[in-house]
Amino acid sequence: MSNNGLRLVWVYPDLLSTYGDQGNALVVERRARQRGLDVQRVDVRSDQPVPTSGDIYLIGGGEDRPQRLAAERLRRDGGLSRAASNGAIIFSVCAGYQILGHEFINDLGEREQGLGLLDVVSTRGEGARCVGDVLADIDPHLGLEPLTGFENHQGVTHLGPTARPFARVRLGRGNGTGDGTEGAYNDTVFGTYMHGPVMARNPQIADHLLKLALDVNALPPTDDRWYEALRAERIASATQPA
């Protein structure tokens, strides 16, 4: 993090914010400010260059054609890949998650090259669409509470040897592979299918990104009563009998 404070970059809100994932940027920004951090938020539209000097980059979900356009422009721009090489933290959701992988199936039914920042490959599932609430256990190495979110995707994402599952589902379908995995991550790059927005349901994820950016093991406490009430309500809703 620079001496000027935390630089938070929201990537392509004009293409990749279909399911309210811009709420993730709002939550990270608020939780940083609650800790007294000076936050510079940069919203980068798809006709603008992606800065390479950010600390945390957030990417949301989107429909098939905007996803293809976003992938094309991110490849051509190169800024996000350079930021990753510089050690920036990147958190992606759904279409953004697929873009960070090696390839996915675009709206034309063709293989579309991703950025290769996560060792994953996404295809299109043949069965029913993955839709509904999800409850999952985040990788114990991250030391976070169970994950709650909402999935809505047709994608099936297979993890390669250098990607770790972000979580393992108790309820829901996650990556759609049938092996119980949800999302993927390496040291500083994260991907998930969870909407919600996921940071509002799981503020500990936002805090984890902040700790990585600050290179600290703990943050000052904040008033989490609103978040905890939302978490409890969504977990109860997901686990109650139909």
Side-chain angles (χ1 to χ4, degrees):
M1 196 179 89
S2 72
N3 293 331
N4 296 325
L6 182 80
R7 197 172 195 208
L8 175 64
V9 182
W10 174 241
V11 179
Y12 292 0
D14 54 329
L15 294 178
L16 299 176
S17 188
T18 302
Y19 303 113
D21 296 316
Q22 191 166 2
N24 294 331
L26 296 173
V27 172
V28 174
E29 181 179 11
R30 174 171 174 77
R31 293 184 74 79
R33 293 190 186 281
Q34 285 179 312
R35 275 56 180 256
L37 296 175
D38 180 20
V39 182
Q40 179 189 7
R41 176 171 154 186
V42 181
D43 289 9
V44 180
R45 295 177 60 86
S46 59
D47 60 350
Q48 299 173 319
V50 177
T52 61
S53 58
D55 298 299
I56 298 174
Y57 293 75
L58 301 174
I59 312 172
E63 297 177 351
D64 290 348
R65 184 172 182 274
Q67 180 188 25
R68 171 168 57 88
L69 295 175
E72 292 172 353
R73 295 174 188 186
L74 286 170
R75 289 198 308 268
R76 186 168 60 247
D77 176 81
L80 188 61
S81 295
R82 290 194 296 273
S85 297
N86 293 336
I89 296 97
I90 303 174
F91 189 91
S92 59
V93 175
C94 203
Y97 168 33
Q98 293 184 358
I99 288 172
L100 294 194
H102 297 299
E103 66 178 40
F104 61 93
I105 304 300
N106 65 22
D107 59 309
L108 305 176
E110 301 170 342
R111 293 181 178 181
E112 183 78 29
Q113 181 183 349
L115 301 183
L117 302 182
L118 281 172
D119 186 15
V120 303
V121 172
S122 297
T123 59
R124 188 163 295 170
E126 299 294 333
R129 190 174 180 85
C130 301
V131 181
D133 274 304
V134 173
L135 182 62
D137 295 308
I138 294 178
D139 187 334
H141 287 88
L142 298 176
L144 302 177
E145 298 176 12
L147 173 71
T148 170
F150 184 85
E151 61 182 352
N152 183 2
H153 63 95
Q154 191 72 36
V156 175
T157 298
H158 301 269
L159 276 60
T162 66
R164 299 179 65 98
F166 183 55
R168 294 191 176 273
V169 295
R170 293 189 231 165
L171 296 169
R173 296 172 61 187
N175 285 327
T177 54
D179 62 0
T181 62
E182 200 297 302
Y185 78 101
N186 55 36
D187 291 338
T188 59
V189 181
F190 300 82
T192 180
Y193 275 111
M194 295 301 98
H195 302 286
V198 68
M199 300 290 186
R201 291 196 185 200
N202 306 273
Q204 76 273 10
I205 297 176
D207 288 354
H208 183 71
L209 303 186
L210 291 173
K211 286 188 283 187
L212 288 175
L214 297 168
D215 194 22
V216 298
N217 294 321
L219 295 171
T222 63
D223 184 352
D224 283 346
R225 286 175 292 181
W226 182 90
Y227 296 101
E228 291 305 321
L230 175 62
R231 277 182 58 79
E233 189 274 331
R234 296 320 305 159
I235 291 173
S237 177
T239 55
Q240 68 184 7

